[in-house]
Amino acid sequence: MSDREVGMSAGRPVRRQARGERRMAEILDAALALFAEVGYEAASTNRIAARAGVSPGSLYQFFANKEAIAQALSARLAADLGAAHAAAFDHVPVSDLPLDELIDRILEPLLAFGIARPGAKALLAGPDAPAPLAAATRPLQDAVLGRVAAVLGARVPGLPAAERDRAALVAVQIVRALTGPIAAAAGAERAALVGELKRALHGYLAPLENPP
Protein backbone atom coordinates (compact mmCIF):
# COMPACT_ATOMS: atom_id res chain seq x y z
CA MET A 1 0.00 0.00 0.00
CA SER A 2 1.36 3.41 -0.93
CA ASP A 3 1.93 6.20 1.57
CA ARG A 4 -1.00 8.05 0.03
CA GLU A 5 -3.28 5.05 0.47
CA VAL A 6 -2.15 4.62 4.08
CA GLY A 7 -2.89 8.29 4.79
CA MET A 8 -6.34 8.05 3.23
CA SER A 9 -7.25 4.90 5.15
CA ALA A 10 -5.99 6.42 8.41
CA GLY A 11 -8.17 9.47 7.84
CA ARG A 12 -11.38 7.51 7.36
CA PRO A 13 -11.80 6.38 11.01
CA VAL A 14 -11.26 9.96 12.16
CA ARG A 15 -13.92 11.25 9.76
CA ARG A 16 -16.31 8.46 10.78
CA GLN A 17 -15.72 9.26 14.45
CA ALA A 18 -16.40 12.94 13.85
CA ARG A 19 -19.60 12.12 11.97
CA GLY A 20 -20.66 9.81 14.78
CA GLU A 21 -20.04 12.48 17.40
CA ARG A 22 -22.05 15.00 15.40
CA ARG A 23 -24.90 12.53 15.03
CA MET A 24 -24.90 11.80 18.77
CA ALA A 25 -24.98 15.53 19.51
CA GLU A 26 -27.90 15.97 17.09
CA ILE A 27 -29.82 13.18 18.81
CA LEU A 28 -29.18 14.68 22.24
CA ASP A 29 -30.21 18.14 21.05
CA ALA A 30 -33.40 16.69 19.57
CA ALA A 31 -34.18 14.81 22.77
CA LEU A 32 -33.69 17.90 24.92
CA ALA A 33 -35.98 19.95 22.67
CA LEU A 34 -38.62 17.23 22.71
CA PHE A 35 -38.43 16.86 26.50
CA ALA A 36 -39.17 20.58 26.73
CA GLU A 37 -42.18 20.29 24.43
CA VAL A 38 -43.88 17.07 25.50
CA GLY A 39 -42.11 15.89 28.66
CA TYR A 40 -39.90 12.89 29.26
CA GLU A 41 -42.59 10.21 29.28
CA ALA A 42 -44.15 11.23 25.96
CA ALA A 43 -40.82 11.59 24.17
CA SER A 44 -40.38 8.13 22.66
CA THR A 45 -37.20 7.08 20.91
CA ASN A 46 -39.11 7.08 17.62
CA ARG A 47 -40.13 10.70 18.15
CA ILE A 48 -36.58 11.64 19.14
CA ALA A 49 -35.21 9.94 16.02
CA ALA A 50 -37.71 11.76 13.82
CA ARG A 51 -36.85 15.08 15.44
CA ALA A 52 -33.14 14.41 14.86
CA GLY A 53 -33.76 13.44 11.24
CA VAL A 54 -32.44 9.90 11.64
CA SER A 55 -33.99 6.45 11.51
CA PRO A 56 -34.75 4.62 14.77
CA GLY A 57 -32.11 2.10 13.74
CA SER A 58 -29.50 4.85 13.48
CA LEU A 59 -30.48 6.14 16.92
CA TYR A 60 -30.04 2.67 18.42
CA GLN A 61 -26.51 2.53 17.04
CA PHE A 62 -25.63 5.21 19.58
CA PHE A 63 -28.15 4.79 22.41
CA ALA A 64 -29.71 1.54 23.59
CA ASN A 65 -32.87 3.21 24.91
CA LYS A 66 -34.35 6.48 26.14
CA GLU A 67 -32.71 6.09 29.54
CA ALA A 68 -29.30 5.99 27.85
CA ILE A 69 -30.16 9.24 26.07
CA ALA A 70 -31.21 10.78 29.40
CA GLN A 71 -27.98 9.61 31.00
CA ALA A 72 -25.83 11.15 28.25
CA LEU A 73 -27.84 14.38 28.39
CA SER A 74 -27.56 14.50 32.15
CA ALA A 75 -23.77 14.18 32.00
CA ARG A 76 -23.52 16.87 29.31
CA LEU A 77 -25.80 19.27 31.17
CA ALA A 78 -23.97 18.66 34.45
CA ALA A 79 -20.72 19.67 32.75
CA ASP A 80 -22.37 22.77 31.26
CA LEU A 81 -23.79 23.77 34.63
CA GLY A 82 -20.47 23.14 36.34
CA ALA A 83 -18.71 25.44 33.90
CA ALA A 84 -21.31 28.18 34.36
CA HIS A 85 -21.20 27.87 38.13
CA ALA A 86 -17.41 27.90 38.17
CA ALA A 87 -17.40 31.08 36.11
CA ALA A 88 -19.68 32.69 38.70
CA PHE A 89 -17.67 31.61 41.75
CA ASP A 90 -14.05 31.12 40.69
CA HIS A 91 -11.72 33.36 42.69
CA VAL A 92 -14.65 34.64 44.77
CA PRO A 93 -14.61 34.11 48.58
CA VAL A 94 -18.23 32.99 48.92
CA SER A 95 -18.05 33.06 52.70
CA ASP A 96 -17.52 36.84 52.61
CA LEU A 97 -20.17 37.82 50.09
CA PRO A 98 -23.28 39.66 51.31
CA LEU A 99 -26.24 37.28 51.14
CA ASP A 100 -28.01 39.23 48.37
CA GLU A 101 -24.89 39.12 46.17
CA LEU A 102 -24.49 35.41 46.89
CA ILE A 103 -28.09 34.79 45.80
CA ASP A 104 -27.43 36.74 42.60
CA ARG A 105 -24.38 34.60 41.87
CA ILE A 106 -26.26 31.36 42.54
CA LEU A 107 -29.29 32.38 40.52
CA GLU A 108 -27.54 33.77 37.47
CA PRO A 109 -26.12 30.44 36.21
CA LEU A 110 -29.12 28.40 37.36
CA LEU A 111 -31.68 30.64 35.66
CA ALA A 112 -29.60 31.05 32.51
CA PHE A 113 -29.18 27.28 32.43
CA GLY A 114 -32.91 26.63 32.84
CA ILE A 115 -34.03 29.32 30.40
CA ALA A 116 -31.59 28.25 27.68
CA ARG A 117 -32.36 24.56 28.18
CA PRO A 118 -36.05 24.18 29.13
CA GLY A 119 -35.85 20.44 28.48
CA ALA A 120 -33.47 20.11 31.42
CA LYS A 121 -36.43 20.44 33.77
CA ALA A 122 -37.60 16.99 32.67
CA LEU A 123 -34.24 15.61 33.76
CA LEU A 124 -34.32 17.23 37.19
CA ALA A 125 -36.49 14.38 38.33
CA GLY A 126 -38.71 14.67 41.35
CA PRO A 127 -39.20 12.00 44.03
CA ASP A 128 -41.96 10.32 42.01
CA ALA A 129 -39.82 9.96 38.87
CA PRO A 130 -39.51 6.50 37.31
CA ALA A 131 -36.52 4.64 38.71
CA PRO A 132 -34.69 4.43 35.34
CA LEU A 133 -35.00 8.19 34.85
CA ALA A 134 -33.90 8.95 38.40
CA ALA A 135 -30.82 6.74 37.95
CA ALA A 136 -29.99 8.15 34.52
CA THR A 137 -30.18 11.77 35.66
CA ARG A 138 -28.26 11.32 38.91
CA PRO A 139 -25.18 13.23 37.61
CA LEU A 140 -27.26 16.33 36.93
CA GLN A 141 -29.12 16.07 40.23
CA ASP A 142 -25.88 15.68 42.15
CA ALA A 143 -24.20 18.53 40.28
CA VAL A 144 -26.95 21.01 41.15
CA LEU A 145 -27.37 19.97 44.77
CA GLY A 146 -23.66 19.48 45.38
CA ARG A 147 -22.73 22.97 44.26
CA VAL A 148 -25.39 24.67 46.35
CA ALA A 149 -24.52 22.51 49.36
CA ALA A 150 -20.84 23.43 48.97
CA VAL A 151 -21.69 27.13 49.02
CA LEU A 152 -23.87 26.70 52.11
CA GLY A 153 -21.12 24.70 53.80
CA ALA A 154 -18.65 27.50 53.19
CA ARG A 155 -21.11 30.09 54.50
CA VAL A 156 -22.24 28.17 57.58
CA PRO A 157 -19.41 25.76 58.44
CA GLY A 158 -21.05 24.71 61.70
CA LEU A 159 -24.22 23.51 59.97
CA PRO A 160 -24.55 19.71 60.25
CA ALA A 161 -24.18 17.94 56.90
CA ALA A 162 -27.74 16.61 56.94
CA GLU A 163 -29.18 20.07 57.54
CA ARG A 164 -26.88 21.59 54.91
CA ASP A 165 -27.97 19.07 52.29
CA ARG A 166 -31.63 19.51 53.19
CA ALA A 167 -31.30 23.28 52.90
CA ALA A 168 -29.62 22.88 49.49
CA LEU A 169 -32.50 20.68 48.34
CA VAL A 170 -35.12 23.19 49.49
CA ALA A 171 -33.28 26.10 47.84
CA VAL A 172 -32.92 24.21 44.57
CA GLN A 173 -36.60 23.25 44.60
CA ILE A 174 -37.60 26.87 45.16
CA VAL A 175 -35.56 27.87 42.11
CA ARG A 176 -36.86 24.94 40.09
CA ALA A 177 -40.49 25.79 40.85
CA LEU A 178 -40.13 29.32 39.46
CA THR A 179 -37.72 28.69 36.57
CA GLY A 180 -40.58 27.67 34.25
CA PRO A 181 -42.73 30.76 34.90
CA ILE A 182 -39.64 33.00 34.67
CA ALA A 183 -38.63 31.45 31.34
CA ALA A 184 -42.19 31.88 30.02
CA ALA A 185 -42.38 35.55 31.06
CA ALA A 186 -40.66 38.48 29.40
CA GLY A 187 -39.57 42.01 30.13
CA ALA A 188 -40.87 43.57 33.32
CA GLU A 189 -42.84 40.48 34.34
CA ARG A 190 -39.75 38.29 34.15
CA ALA A 191 -37.77 40.81 36.19
CA ALA A 192 -40.58 40.92 38.77
CA LEU A 193 -40.65 37.13 39.08
CA VAL A 194 -36.87 37.02 39.47
CA GLY A 195 -37.21 39.62 42.22
CA GLU A 196 -39.81 37.50 44.02
CA LEU A 197 -37.58 34.45 43.70
CA LYS A 198 -34.67 36.35 45.23
CA ARG A 199 -36.90 37.51 48.07
CA ALA A 200 -38.06 33.94 48.73
CA LEU A 201 -34.48 32.65 48.79
CA HIS A 202 -33.35 35.46 51.06
CA GLY A 203 -36.19 34.74 53.44
CA TYR A 204 -35.24 31.07 53.54
CA LEU A 205 -31.46 31.39 53.72
CA ALA A 206 -31.08 34.35 56.09
CA PRO A 207 -32.21 32.42 59.21
CA LEU A 208 -29.73 29.64 58.36
CA GLU A 209 -26.86 32.13 58.41
CA ASN A 210 -28.15 34.10 61.39
CA PRO A 211 -30.29 31.77 63.49
CA PRO A 212 -32.58 33.49 66.00
Side-chain angles (χ1 to χ4, degrees):
M1 182 180 295
S2 69
D3 290 344
R4 182 171 180 273
E5 289 171 329
V6 170
M8 290 175 62
S9 63
R12 290 190 191 110
V14 174
R15 288 195 295 271
R16 283 198 296 269
Q17 181 179 357
R19 284 197 299 270
E21 289 174 353
R22 284 197 302 272
R23 184 56 52 84
M24 289 177 66
E26 290 166 357
I27 292 170
L28 293 179
D29 290 342
L32 190 61
L34 203 55
F35 291 163
E37 292 174 11
V38 303
Y40 178 81
E41 290 299 324
S44 67
T45 51
N46 284 348
R47 294 183 72 174
I48 294 170
R51 183 65 174 263
V54 302
S55 68
S58 294
L59 182 148
Y60 289 128
Q61 289 179 2
F62 300 103
F63 301 104
N65 49 40
K66 187 168 65 172
E67 287 73 31
I69 294 172
Q71 186 174 28
L73 261 179
S74 179
R76 188 174 81 173
L77 294 173
D80 290 347
L81 182 60
H85 205 270
F89 284 100
D90 274 358
H91 313 301
V92 175
V94 296
S95 58
D96 298 333
L97 287 176
L99 180 56
D100 286 339
E101 185 176 347
L102 174 74
I103 290 172
D104 286 344
R105 285 181 174 269
I106 289 176
L107 278 183
E108 184 176 345
L110 286 179
L111 288 178
F113 177 83
I115 291 170
R117 305 166 182 83
K121 183 177 180 181
L123 299 176
L124 289 169
D128 56 347
L133 174 61
T137 58
R138 183 57 55 194
L140 183 56
Q141 306 275 347
D142 290 346
V144 174
L145 291 174
R147 289 185 175 278
V148 175
V151 170
L152 292 178
R155 300 277 295 187
V156 193
L159 194 65
E163 293 183 30
R164 178 203 65 206
D165 293 346
R166 188 182 309 117
L169 176 62
V170 171
V172 167
Q173 290 300 322
I174 291 172
V175 175
R176 181 186 177 196
L178 280 173
T179 297
I182 288 171
E189 181 60 20
R190 175 179 287 184
L193 286 172
V194 170
E196 291 300 310
L197 174 55
K198 289 179 179 180
R199 185 164 67 168
L201 285 174
H202 189 284
Y204 177 67
L205 295 175
L208 288 175
E209 297 196 353
N210 299 289

